[in-house]
Amino acid sequence: MKTISKILLGSVAVAGIGAGVAYTTQPDLKNQVNTLTPGTHKAGKTTVDDTKTNEELATTVIGLYGANHLEDNAHWKQVPVAFKSSTILMKEPRTNTLTVYRILVPNTNQTDAPYYELSGSDHNTVTFYDGTSTTPLAKVDLATVVKYVNAHYSDQQQQDCATRIKIQYS
């Protein structure tokens, strides 16, 4: 009986140590995926077609591009901050060839949030706007946006942001 107790006690101790080692050697995924520093990870492989079937991924790609190219704009520069937590995307379909997407960044609401339009027969043109103006800040081809983001952000960074975006219809 004492031998069985010692074996069981020893097995429990070894299992506990093994679990502790496994826990402490796991990478800190929360910090890894919240890092949105461009160029610090392996390049992404997102395609334009991927953005056509995944609106959250499309918003991630377009939002990161906008944040990096419109960094002087107070609202667009807040997009990476918004992407680190749950982010609301207001979708406003206008016509078959035009849809507006508003990214609710910190300290904005639906009327003043930065937004982008996807236009054209294949929705391949992205036009960026400040939430407070109807004057375009920039207009670029979706393929250019995807290429830039893939060169500066990993698939994991892109996918992690995309999982935090929640689409609501306006």
Side-chain angles (χ1 to χ4, degrees), residues 53-67:
T53 58
N54 184 333
E55 288 178 303
E56 295 85 356
L57 181 60
T59 297
T60 297
V61 170
I62 293 166
L64 291 173
Y65 180 93

Side-chain angles (χ1 to χ4, degrees), residues 12-91:
V12 170
V14 169
I17 291 169
V21 168
Y23 177 78
T24 59
T25 59
Q26 292 297 316
D28 186 358
L29 293 178
K30 184 176 180 184
N31 287 334
Q32 284 181 356
V33 294
N34 278 338
T35 301
L36 284 176
T37 307
T40 59
H41 301 284
K42 188 175 178 182
K45 296 180 183 110
T46 299
T47 66
V48 170
D49 287 342
D50 293 337
T51 67
K52 305 290 182 159
T53 58
N54 184 333
E55 288 178 303
E56 295 85 356
L57 181 60
T59 297
T60 297
V61 170
I62 293 166
L64 291 173
Y65 180 93
N68 284 285
H69 286 82
L70 304 169
E71 68 233 5
D72 291 337
N73 181 278
H75 289 143
W76 278 101
K77 118 172 127 178
Q78 289 297 312
V79 169
V81 174
F83 283 174
K84 289 183 179 184
S85 59
S86 182
T87 303
I88 302 294
L89 175 70
M90 298 301 298
K91 181 177 180 180

Side-chain angles (χ1 to χ4, degrees), residues 10-165:
S11 297
V12 170
V14 169
I17 291 169
V21 168
Y23 177 78
T24 59
T25 59
Q26 292 297 316
D28 186 358
L29 293 178
K30 184 176 180 184
N31 287 334
Q32 284 181 356
V33 294
N34 278 338
T35 301
L36 284 176
T37 307
T40 59
H41 301 284
K42 188 175 178 182
K45 296 180 183 110
T46 299
T47 66
V48 170
D49 287 342
D50 293 337
T51 67
K52 305 290 182 159
T53 58
N54 184 333
E55 288 178 303
E56 295 85 356
L57 181 60
T59 297
T60 297
V61 170
I62 293 166
L64 291 173
Y65 180 93
N68 284 285
H69 286 82
L70 304 169
E71 68 233 5
D72 291 337
N73 181 278
H75 289 143
W76 278 101
K77 118 172 127 178
Q78 289 297 312
V79 169
V81 174
F83 283 174
K84 289 183 179 184
S85 59
S86 182
T87 303
I88 302 294
L89 175 70
M90 298 301 298
K91 181 177 180 180
E92 304 170 12
R94 302 276 169 93
T95 67
N96 288 343
T97 60
L98 176 66
T99 304
V100 174
Y101 297 87
R102 293 183 182 274
I103 303 171
L104 299 186
V105 299
N107 302 314
T108 65
N109 57 44
Q110 187 175 346
T111 58
D112 66 356
Y115 66 99
Y116 65 91
E117 293 177 345
L118 286 176
S119 60
S121 59
D122 292 328
H123 284 146
N124 282 334
T125 302
V126 183
T127 307
F128 295 88
Y129 296 87
D130 183 293
T132 58
S133 174
T134 57
T135 303
L137 298 171
K139 191 173 192 174
V140 66
D141 186 72
L142 183 56
T144 301
V145 171
V146 170
K147 182 178 179 181
Y148 172 84
V149 172
N150 278 335
H152 294 88
Y153 296 93
S154 71
D155 285 335
Q156 182 175 345
Q157 288 173 308
Q158 294 176 46
Q159 290 297 329
D160 185 61
C161 291
T163 62
R164 292 188 180 110
I165 295 172

